[in-house]
Amino acid sequence: MALRFLLLVVFIFPLFVDAQELASPSRYLARIELHSAEELNGALMRAEELFAGDRFKSGTDAPVVFVLHGPEARTLLTKEYKLNKSLVDLAARLSAFQIVDVRVCKTWMGSEGLDESQLPPFISTVPYGPEEKRRLLSEGKYVYF
């Protein structure tokens, strides 16, 4: 019985699981703690640097996921574009090249009296930001960036 299990693990299991994926997660979740425009801008610039440095390639590795659920999300609203043009343009460009995936919390938006129509088209929403982050991390494929 032990021999069968060993043969299964050695010969069959690798056919279904990418060993490199088990060794280290290849997907990133941006850690936003201060919820400021400066922190968001810095994290977006870091994602851009990783892409420019061939750390990962657009379209082949999962993009860096940004789950926003605080004041930093307000900087991306279409009505705030003139004030935050460079930040929004950076996020849009990185999203277009599949370097980042920006998601905003619907619960936070509701508490602020905002709705999805106020977001640029490259931004998606999630029901509850903290839960979305927990879900991604629990998959075992994401690590904080």
Side-chain angles (χ1 to χ4, degrees), residues 66-91:
F66 283 72
V67 179
L68 309 177
H69 54 92
E72 76 283 1
R74 187 175 291 281
T75 63
L76 297 174
L77 298 175
T78 53
K79 69 181 183 179
E80 300 292 327
Y81 180 71
K82 287 182 184 177
L83 293 172
N84 302 296
K85 183 181 182 322
S86 63
L87 175 64
V88 176
D89 288 352
L90 175 60

Side-chain angles (χ1 to χ4, degrees), residues 89-120:
D89 288 352
L90 175 60
R93 183 174 67 248
L94 296 177
S95 179
F97 282 101
Q98 299 178 346
I99 297 168
V100 301
D101 176 7
V102 182
R103 305 171 189 179
V104 174
C105 175
K106 283 186 184 181
T107 302
W108 175 83
M109 291 187 77
S111 73
E112 297 291 314
L114 304 168
D115 65 64
E116 293 176 61
S117 69
Q118 295 171 291
L119 293 171

Side-chain angles (χ1 to χ4, degrees), residues 9 13-26 139-141:
V9 170
F13 189 67
L15 296 175
F16 297 102
V17 179
D18 182 0
Q20 185 178 1
E21 189 173 307
L22 284 177
S24 66
S26 63
E139 286 181 3
K141 296 178 183 178

